[in-house]
Amino acid sequence: MNKLLSRSIGSLLVLAALYLVFVNLTLNLPTTRTVLNALQPEQFRVTWQHAWSLYPLRVELDGVVADGQAPTEQWQVDARRAAASVSLLPLLKGELRIHDLDLEDIDLRLRPRPPADGPQDALAEFFPVIRDRDPDAPAEAAPQDPSGTLVLEIDDIQVRGEHSFWVSHIRGSTPGAVRGSFRMETATGRLALAGGALDLALTSLTVGPKQAVTDAAAIAGTIDIPPFIVSETKGLEMMRVPDLDARIDLPVQNLDFLALLMPVLDEIRLSGRGHLRGRLVLSSGEMLGGSDLVVEAHELAMDLGRYDFSGDGTIELKVDPQDEAQADLLVRFEQVRAELEPDDSAGANRAQVLFTGSGLTAQLHAAEVDPTTTSTAERVEELASEVELRFKLDIPSMQVPDLAVYSRLFPEDWDLALLGGTGTVAGALEVSADRLSLNLDLASDDADLRYRDDHATADLLLRLRARVEDSATTNLRLDGTELRIEDARLAVTHDGAKERHPSERRPSSEPWRANLKISDSALRLPVSGGHADADPIPAIAETLQDEGFGAVLAGADGRVSAVLTVSHLDWIAELLDRPLGLSLAGAGELDTEIVLTNGRADKGTTLTMPREPLSLGILEHRVDGTGTAKLRMEHAGKRPRFRLNVALDDARLRRRDESEPSIGEVRMDAEILMIDSLAHGGGSADINLKLHSARVRDMSSYNAYLPANTPLSLVSGEATLAGDLRLKPNRAEGQLLLAGEDIRVRWDRQELSGDLKVELLVRDGSAKDLRFDITGSSVLLEGFRVAGAAGSASAPDWHGRLQLDKTQVRWHKPMHLDMQAYVTVKDTRPFVELLDSVRGKHEWIDNLLTLKNPAGHLRLTVDADTAVIEDAMLGAPQLGIHAKGRSAASDREAMLLVRWHNLTGAMALRNGRRQFDILDAPARFAAYRPGKTPLRDLGAAQTDAEDRSGTEPSSAAAKHAGTHFSHEEVGSANTGPSGRQRPTPTQNPFLDDGP
C-alpha cells in the first residue's frame, strides 16, 4: 500500500515536473506565440517577454503586449505583469475565457477606424496610433456570421498599479485598483464590464487638444459598462455607456469636464482651476439622485455672451435626491469683476468694467421634459430640446466705476447716453424657455447724462423691470420700471450750438428733478431674421448678451403708460427746440402714454398735465397762472412733429423783464405745432394764441413803450384784452381787442379821460423780431372829457378815431413805429387847448372850436427814444389845424399851424416855451422839418407866449397868409397818408355819429 502510494506520488511529481518543464518551455518558445497569433492575425495578436505556469490552466506573464483590430476600431493593451486562469472547453467554441485575471501597470488604447465612404472624425489627429496597425484602415461591416471569431471574456479581473489609457481623443493616467468582469468580441469590437469597482487616483486627464483637466485626483466607487461598440458611440453617447457611483476628490486644472456632465452648459462658458470633491452617480449617461459635486475654484471665469465675470468662488453641481429629473448648477463668486468684451465691429479694443464686488451667483436649473424616457441626443443642440432650462443671475449691490458702459440700456436711436460717473448696480436676470425677466437697479449721485446736444449732471436711479413672455406673440412688459433724476443741473452747449431766442441763450444751473414710473405696458418684440427658426426667448437672450437691453427695446412695438413727475416743465420747451423763445415753468405729475414703433416714440405719444400752477413764456412775454398742458407727437421719424396745447386761466401776463405783472385775470389757450424740432431755433413752428380774456390793471404800464419826454402819456385806467394770434418765426397774423373805461390820458399839460377801444389787426410781420404790420387797425376814443378853458369836465362827449393805414410796429420797450393813419374827431378842443394863451388876443382862434367832425391824417415815426410827427392835419374847407414835431429824451419841439378862412397863425413849442406868430405862418410851417431844421429861437418867450404883433393881422396880411395856406401849396396837409385827398366831414368814412 505504501509502495503504491509512493509510486502514485512519484508519478504525480513526475507529471508535475513534466508539466512544468513542458508548459513553461512551450510558453516561452517563439513558436507558441507564432501559432497563437496565426489563429486570427488580423483581429488579435499577443506576445510577452516571460511566461510560466505553476499549475495547469494558470499562467503568469511578464511584459505582455497585445493588440487587435475589430471591424470598427483598433485596440492595444500592454501590461507589466499578468496572471490568469484559462478555461479549455470554451476554446473549442472560439471563446477565450479567462478568470481570476490579475494585471499590473496596464496601458489601454482604443482607436476608432475611419469610415470607408465619409470624412474622418474632426478629432482623429488626437486618436492613439495602435502598434503595427494601419491608422488609415477604413472601418468594415461586422460579419453576418460571427461564428469563428474570437470572443475574449474575463471573469473577475483585478487591475493594480500605475495605469494609463487613451480611448479615442481622451487620455490620462490613473494609479489604483479596478475589479470587474470584462468581455470583448473581436469580430464586432463590442466591449462590456460588469461588477466593476474602482479605487483610482487620476493623475491626469486630457480631452482632445486641451490642457490636462485634472491631476493628483482620486475616484472610488462602482462601475458597470453594458456591451457597446466604441466606434459607434459618439459625442454624448459616450457618457451614457457606464453606470457609475463614485466618490471623487480631484484637483482640476480647468472646468471643461462640467460640460460633459451637464452638456447644456454650452451657453455658459466656465473656466478656471481648483479642487473637485463629491459624489457622482451616472446611469445611461444621466446623473442620478445623490450626485453632489463641489468645485472650489481659483481664477474662476464665467462668460455669458459678451459679459465676462472673473474672480474666486465655488461651483456646485447637484441632482435633486428626491427627483432625478431635476439638476442644478450654482456658481458663486466670493469676489468678482464683471467686464463687457470690446465690440470688434465698432473698432473697440478694450473691455469695459461693468462692476466689482462680492456675492454674485449664477444658477442653471435643468429639468427633463419627459423623465420617463432616456435621452437619445448625440449633440448638445439635440439635448436642449429634451430638457427645460432655467437660468438665474443674482447681482447684489456692486460698485460701478464708470456708468458709460450702461448706455447699452438705451436704444441708439434715442440719442440718450450715460457719459460717466460712478455708482452702484444690483439686479437679477432669469431666463427660461418661455420667459425672460430682468430687474436692474442702477444708482449714482454724480451721473453725467446726455440727451441730443444737452448735458446734465444728476443723482440718478434707474429701476428697470423687464419681462419677456412667449405666448401667441413675444410680449415685453416694463411695468414697475422707474427712472428718477434728482438735483440735475442742465447746461446747454453753445459751441456751434443751436440758435436760440435771446432770452434763452444761457446755461441753466437751477437744479431740477424728474421721476418716470411705468404703470402699464404692452409691447411686442420681433425675432430677428438670424433667429427665424429659433425659439424667441433664447434669441432675445442672445441679443441681450451681445448688444444689451437697448437693442431688445429697439425692436419693440406697442404702448407704455406711465406717470412723469417733474419739478420743471421747461424740458418740454427744450424738446421742441424753444420756438420763439418758448419756455415753460411748473411742476407736477404728467400722465404719459408712449407709443413705440421699432423702439422709438411714434404718432400718438402724449403727455398730459392736469390742472396745476403753470407758466408759459412766448417771445418777450410770460403768463403765470393755473392750467393744463398736453404734448402730443403727430408725426415720428427723423423730422418729428409735436403739438403742445396749454390752457391757462386766472393768470397774470407780463414781459420777462418786468418784476410785476401788468395784466391779470388772463384766460388763454396756446397751441404750439413744432413741425421739425431738428430745425434749429424752432424755425418751422406754428404758434396759435387764443386770448379769451384779460384785464389790464393799470394802463400807465404801457408808457414804457413810449419814448421818454413824449407829450402823450397814459395816467391811469383799466381795460380788457382779448385776441387771437397766429405766429411763425417769420410770419404773424391775428387780431387783438383792447377796451378800457375811464382811461385818463395826459396830452401836453391837459388831461383827457374817457373810454378807449383799440382794434389791433396784425396782417403780417416777423414774430421772432416782434415786428408787425398792423395796417387796418383802429383806435377809438369815446366819451372823453377834455379839461381846460376850451373843454368842460362835465361834458364827456368828445370822441375820436384813428384808422391805421400803412403801419409797422416793433413791440419793444420803447417801441419802434412807422404809422400812417386817418383821423376823425368830434371837434378840435384838445388841440385848441394848446392855444389858450393867445385866444384872447386872436378871437378868430375861438372859431376853431366851432368845427364839428373834422377829419385828417397823421404820419408818425417812433424810433426807440425819439418820436417824430412828420405830418398831422385836422380840417375842413373853412378851417384847419396842422402839426409837426419831435420828442426826444432831452428835447421836445413842435409847430402848429392854424387856419380860419384866410387867417393863419403858427405856434412854436419847445421844451415848455411857446410862441405864436401870424406873420408868414404857412411858409414857416412848410419850411420846418422836425429834427432837421431848427425852430427859430424863442428868445425870452414864456411858457404862455404872447403874440409878437399883439394885434389882428391886416387884411393884406390875412390875404397873404391865406395865399400861403392854399390847398395847392400845402398839398401834403390836405392829402391822406397814402397821397389820397383827405376826407371831408361829409365824406369821412370813419365818422362816429355818436354824441
Side-chain angles (χ1 to χ4, degrees):
M1 185 69 179
N2 291 333
K3 184 176 181 180
L4 179 62
L5 180 61
S6 299
R7 288 180 178 178
S8 298
I9 294 174
S11 299
L12 291 175
L13 291 174
V14 170
L15 289 175
L18 291 173
Y19 171 83
L20 291 174
V21 172
F22 177 76
V23 171
N24 285 282
L25 180 62
T26 302
L27 288 175
N28 288 283
L29 288 174
T31 305
T32 304
R33 300 199 248 324
T34 302
V35 172
L36 182 61
N37 291 332
L39 295 176
Q40 290 183 343
E42 295 297 325
Q43 298 179 0
F44 177 81
R45 184 167 55 196
V46 63
T47 185
W48 54 87
Q49 294 178 354
H50 304 288
W52 64 92
S53 175
L54 299 180
Y55 55 89
L57 303 181
R58 177 71 178 177
V59 180
E60 297 188 21
L61 307 170
D62 284 340
V64 179
V65 176
D67 61 76
Q69 180 172 273
T72 56
E73 64 269 323
Q74 299 169 347
W75 57 271
Q76 174 182 321
V77 178
D78 298 345
R80 184 181 64 82
R81 178 182 176 277
S85 299
V86 182
S87 299
L88 294 178
L89 291 178
L91 286 174
L92 301 177
K93 297 185 292 183
E95 296 183 3
L96 177 59
R97 179 169 296 174
I98 301 173
H99 55 86
D100 297 330
L101 173 63
D102 295 331
L103 295 173
E104 295 182 9
D105 302 337
I106 67 171
D107 181 4
L108 171 66
R109 301 187 182 192
L110 290 174
R111 178 187 178 92
R113 294 174 67 175
D117 54 357
Q120 285 196 350
D121 194 299
L123 297 173
E125 61 178 306
F126 303 102
F127 291 173
V129 176
I130 304 303
R131 181 177 47 245
D132 298 331
R133 301 290 175 176
D134 181 7
D136 297 324
E140 302 171 356
Q144 298 294 327
D145 183 10
S147 61
T149 62
L150 179 65
V151 175
L152 174 63
E153 186 171 328
I154 304 174
D155 292 331
D156 193 15
I157 183 173
Q158 297 188 40
V159 181
R160 295 181 295 273
E162 300 286 338
H163 317 298
S164 63
F165 61 90
W166 192 345
V167 178
S168 186
H169 60 284
I170 303 174
R171 58 180 174 172
S173 58
T174 171
V178 177
R179 294 188 61 185
S181 297
F182 176 78
R183 178 183 175 88
M184 182 180 71
E185 298 176 4
T186 59
T188 61
R190 191 179 302 276
L191 303 177
L193 177 66
L198 304 174
D199 188 2
L200 300 173
L202 186 65
T203 57
S204 68
L205 179 66
T206 302
V207 179
K210 300 181 180 179
Q211 295 180 354
V213 175
T214 180
D215 57 5
I219 179 171
T222 62
I223 183 172
D224 285 279
I225 301 177
F228 78 103
I229 299 175
V230 175
S231 61
E232 295 179 358
T233 307
K234 299 180 180 180
L236 299 181
E237 285 189 344
M238 189 67 73
M239 296 295 298
R240 300 192 189 101
V241 172
D243 291 341
L244 177 70
D245 186 352
R247 303 295 302 181
I248 299 174
D249 188 353
L250 312 175
V252 291
Q253 298 303 314
N254 64 52
L255 305 178
D256 291 349
F257 68 92
L258 292 174
L260 300 175
L261 297 176
M262 199 171 186
V264 292
L265 277 175
D266 186 63
E267 295 299 324
I268 304 176
R269 296 186 298 275
L270 293 171
S271 61
R273 60 185 182 85
H275 206 92
L276 171 65
R277 293 186 177 91
R279 180 186 178 194
L280 177 61
V281 183
L282 286 176
S283 178
S284 299
E286 297 182 1
M287 288 192 300
L288 302 182
S291 294
D292 188 355
L293 301 175
V294 177
V295 180
E296 297 176 358
H298 306 289
E299 301 177 7
L300 175 62
M302 179 177 69
D303 297 342
L304 300 174
R306 291 179 56 199
Y307 298 97
D308 297 340
F309 306 87
S310 59
D312 294 335
T314 60
I315 301 174
E316 299 178 14
L317 181 58
K318 181 184 296 186
V319 177
D320 189 340
Q322 305 301 323
D323 185 359
E324 294 180 346
Q326 310 281 334
D328 290 283
L329 175 80
L330 178 64
V331 181
R332 180 181 290 108
F333 283 89
E334 296 177 2
Q335 296 293 327
V336 66
R337 176 186 176 92
E339 295 181 336
L340 178 67
E341 294 178 355
D343 186 358
D344 296 336
S345 62
N349 55 14
R350 188 172 65 178
Q352 296 175 280
V353 178
L354 290 163
F355 54 78
T356 59
S358 59
L360 180 140
T361 61
Q363 181 177 5
L364 181 66
H365 177 79
E368 295 182 12
V369 175
D370 186 357
T372 62
T373 62
T374 300
S375 174
T376 60
E378 296 184 5
R379 296 186 304 272
V380 173
E381 294 79 1
E382 298 174 358
L383 182 63
S385 63
E386 299 180 1
V387 297
E388 291 182 352
L389 299 179
R390 186 172 67 249
F391 174 77
K392 183 177 182 181
L393 180 70
D394 282 316
I395 306 173
S397 182
M398 300 279 181
Q399 297 300 312
V400 179
D402 188 352
L403 295 178
V405 67
Y406 289 94
S407 292
R408 287 163 46 94
L409 294 172
F410 313 117
E412 289 185 6
D413 288 344
W414 287 12
D415 204 7
L416 173 66
L418 291 165
L419 301 181
T422 60
T424 61
V425 66
L429 170 68
E430 293 187 48
V431 183
S432 63
D434 57 359
R435 189 174 185 272
L436 184 149
S437 173
L438 173 62
N439 294 342
L440 187 72
D441 292 347
L442 182 66
S444 172
D445 56 7
D446 63 348
D448 188 1
L449 307 171
R450 179 189 62 79
Y451 176 67
R452 292 168 57 181
D453 293 331
D454 296 327
H455 294 251
T457 57
D459 295 347
L460 172 71
L461 174 60
L462 172 62
R463 290 176 175 160
L464 177 61
R465 302 292 183 265
R467 297 184 304 281
V468 180
E469 299 174 350
D470 179 17
S471 53
T473 59
T474 304
N475 298 320
L476 170 64
R477 301 194 67 88
L478 298 174
D479 303 6
T481 295
E482 182 178 5
L483 175 61
R484 182 183 302 168
I485 298 176
E486 300 279 354
D487 195 27
R489 298 180 183 272
L490 179 67
V492 180
T493 303
H494 293 293
D495 296 336
K498 301 171 284 188
E499 180 183 353
R500 300 189 182 279
H501 192 271
S503 62
E504 300 301 328
R505 291 177 187 160
R506 50 182 167 79
S508 171
S509 60
E510 183 180 358
W512 56 277
R513 65 184 183 277
N515 184 31
L516 175 69
K517 187 169 185 178
I518 296 177
S519 57
D520 187 35
S521 59
L523 299 173
R524 299 175 302 280
L525 292 177
V527 179
S528 62
H531 302 285
D533 298 330
D535 293 333
I537 297 299
I540 292 170
E542 183 175 341
T543 301
L544 186 65
Q545 290 178 2
D546 295 341
E547 303 177 52
F549 181 76
V552 175
L553 189 57
D557 298 333
R559 290 181 173 270
V560 174
S561 299
V563 175
L564 175 61
T565 305
V566 293
S567 63
H568 294 74
L569 290 174
D570 202 44
W571 64 269
I572 297 179
E574 188 66 29
L575 174 68
L576 300 181
D577 212 32
R578 301 196 181 277
L580 299 181
L582 174 68
S583 64
L584 291 169
E589 292 186 350
L590 284 72
D591 295 327
T592 305
E593 188 79 13
I594 303 174
V595 179
L596 291 180
T597 300
N598 291 328
R600 298 189 62 175
D602 203 352
K603 177 182 178 181
T605 296
T606 58
L607 285 79
T608 304
M609 189 184 80
R611 184 178 173 83
E612 295 284 352
L614 181 62
S615 294
L616 171 68
I618 294 286
L619 298 171
E620 300 292 344
H621 294 80
R622 172 179 164 183
V623 186
D624 304 322
T626 303
T628 62
K630 183 175 183 179
L631 177 67
R632 179 180 178 85
M633 176 179 280
E634 296 192 342
H635 181 73
K638 294 183 178 180
R639 312 185 81 82
R641 183 170 68 241
F642 294 93
R643 186 181 300 274
L644 173 64
N645 292 94
V646 179
L648 289 162
D649 55 26
D650 193 23
R652 298 161 301 283
L653 174 65
R654 62 179 170 180
R655 287 180 64 98
R656 296 181 193 265
D657 57 0
E658 293 176 346
S659 59
E660 293 295 332
S662 56
I663 301 177
E665 302 177 26
V666 176
R667 187 167 67 88
M668 184 183 78
D669 292 338
E671 181 183 69
I672 297 97
L673 178 62
M674 192 66 199
I675 299 175
D676 182 7
S677 62
L678 300 181
H680 295 331
S684 56
D686 287 343
I687 298 180
N688 295 329
L689 302 177
K690 182 71 173 180
L691 183 60
H692 299 286
S693 62
R695 176 163 291 277
V696 182
R697 296 169 175 171
D698 188 354
M699 290 293 293
S700 65
S701 61
Y702 286 104
N703 289 331
Y705 294 92
L706 303 176
N709 202 28
T710 182
L712 177 66
S713 63
L714 298 167
V715 178
S716 64
E718 295 186 358
T720 60
L721 185 63
D724 185 2
L725 293 176
R726 294 167 297 281
L727 306 175
K728 290 186 176 182
N730 298 311
R731 292 284 307 274
E733 60 181 8
Q735 54 276 331
L736 288 171
L737 174 62
L738 184 144
E741 298 179 355
D742 195 21
I743 305 299
R744 294 176 58 200
V745 180
R746 178 173 289 111
W747 171 251
D748 197 39
R749 291 176 301 164
Q750 61 181 326
E751 285 193 2
L752 297 83
S753 61
D755 298 340
L756 172 67
K757 183 177 182 181
V758 179
E759 295 180 351
L760 192 65
L761 175 64
V762 180
R763 301 170 63 91
D764 199 354
S766 172
K768 67 179 180 179
D769 297 329
L770 291 174
R771 177 176 50 80
F772 307 107
D773 180 353
I774 57 174
T775 300
S777 302
S778 65
V779 179
L780 180 63
L781 306 174
E782 292 184 305
F784 264 73
R785 298 178 179 88
V786 181
S792 172
S794 61
D797 59 353
W798 189 85
H799 58 262
R801 181 184 183 103
L802 270 74
Q803 186 70 33
L804 306 188
D805 190 21
K806 294 182 178 179
T807 304
Q808 298 269 344
V809 63
R810 190 172 183 185
W811 196 242
H812 289 177
K813 281 187 176 183
M815 66 178 173
H816 295 249
L817 177 68
D818 186 0
M819 181 181 74
Q820 299 182 24
Y822 295 109
V823 182
T824 59
V825 296
K826 179 178 181 180
D827 53 45
T828 60
R829 277 181 289 169
F831 313 102
V832 174
E833 290 295 336
L834 297 174
L835 303 172
D836 268 352
S837 61
V838 297
R839 288 172 58 189
K841 301 175 182 179
H842 302 280
E843 295 180 357
W844 60 271
I845 292 178
D846 289 333
N847 293 326
L848 295 175
L849 295 173
T850 63
L851 179 61
K852 299 299 183 181
N853 300 322
H857 62 260
L858 171 64
R859 284 202 290 266
L860 173 65
T861 300
V862 177
D863 185 8
D865 295 331
T866 303
V868 177
I869 299 176
E870 297 178 355
D871 183 19
M873 183 277 290
L874 281 173
Q878 70 275 23
L879 55 85
I881 300 175
H882 291 251
K884 297 179 183 179
R886 175 178 177 272
S887 175
S890 59
D891 185 38
R892 191 168 72 188
E893 64 180 35
M895 180 176 287
L896 294 178
L897 177 65
V898 295
R899 174 179 64 85
W900 171 254
H901 294 281
N902 291 328
L903 300 177
T904 61
M907 171 71 81
L909 304 95
R910 185 169 186 180
N911 298 328
R913 295 179 179 274
R914 306 181 183 189
Q915 183 171 302
F916 186 76
D917 196 342
I918 63 174
L919 295 177
D920 204 18
R924 287 191 295 108
F925 182 83
Y928 171 59
R929 296 290 184 268
K932 298 179 180 179
T933 58
L935 288 174
R936 189 165 54 187
D937 187 10
L938 301 185
Q942 301 299 316
T943 301
D944 295 325
E946 296 187 1
D947 176 18
R948 280 174 42 190
S949 64
T951 60
E952 294 287 346
S954 62
S955 59
K959 182 178 180 180
H960 177 74
T963 302
H964 287 283
F965 198 70
S966 64
H967 291 291
E968 290 76 9
E969 291 186 38
V970 196
S972 63
N974 297 310
T975 56
S978 300
R980 298 186 296 271
Q981 183 69 29
R982 67 170 175 82
T984 64
T986 57
Q987 299 171 335
N988 184 2
F990 312 113
L991 183 61
D992 190 338
D993 294 328

